[in-house]
């Protein structure tokens, strides 16, 4: 997300909408090769549940949520 306020709003909305997803964290991520702080993005980070991972319902809801906020979901 382009700024902290937008990311915080999304984080609060996601936490309220899906408390079963666990702790939600904000992370500031500078774009590769960019020195200007204006080029940093804010990420809303969730950890997958230790046992069983994400359910199909949770992933579908996360995809819908990110689409509403012009974002995307990544897994590592």
């Amino acid at each position: 997300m382009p700024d902290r306020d937008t990311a915080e709003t999304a984080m609060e909305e996601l936490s309220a909408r899906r408390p079963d997803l666990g702790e939600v964290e904000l992370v500031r991520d500078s774009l590769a090769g960019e020195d200007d702080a204006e080029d940093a993005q804010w990420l809303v980070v969730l950890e997958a549940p230790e046992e069983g991972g994400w359910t199909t319902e949770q992933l579908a809801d996360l995809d819908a949520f990110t689409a509403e906020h012009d974002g995307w979901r990544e897994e590592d």
Side-chain angles (χ1 to χ4, degrees):
M1 299 189 176
D3 59 69
R4 185 181 182 120
D5 289 340
T6 302
E8 284 178 344
T9 299
M11 181 182 78
E12 290 168 6
E13 183 181 332
L14 183 60
S15 293
R17 183 170 158 175
R18 293 300 303 257
D20 62 312
L21 296 178
E23 185 178 337
V24 181
E25 179 183 5
L26 281 183
V27 174
R28 188 167 188 220
D29 185 40
S30 297
L31 299 175
E34 298 295 334
D35 295 328
D36 189 354
E38 295 294 320
D39 292 323
Q41 297 182 52
W42 288 90
L43 309 175
V44 176
V45 179
L46 300 167
E47 294 291 328
E50 289 183 24
E51 292 185 28
W54 299 109
T55 66
T56 302
E57 177 187 351
Q58 288 172 321
L59 290 175
D61 196 45
L62 287 173
D63 288 336
F65 180 83
T66 57
E68 290 170 18
H69 291 83
D70 296 323
W72 64 92
R73 179 176 57 86
E74 292 182 4
E75 295 183 45
D76 56 342

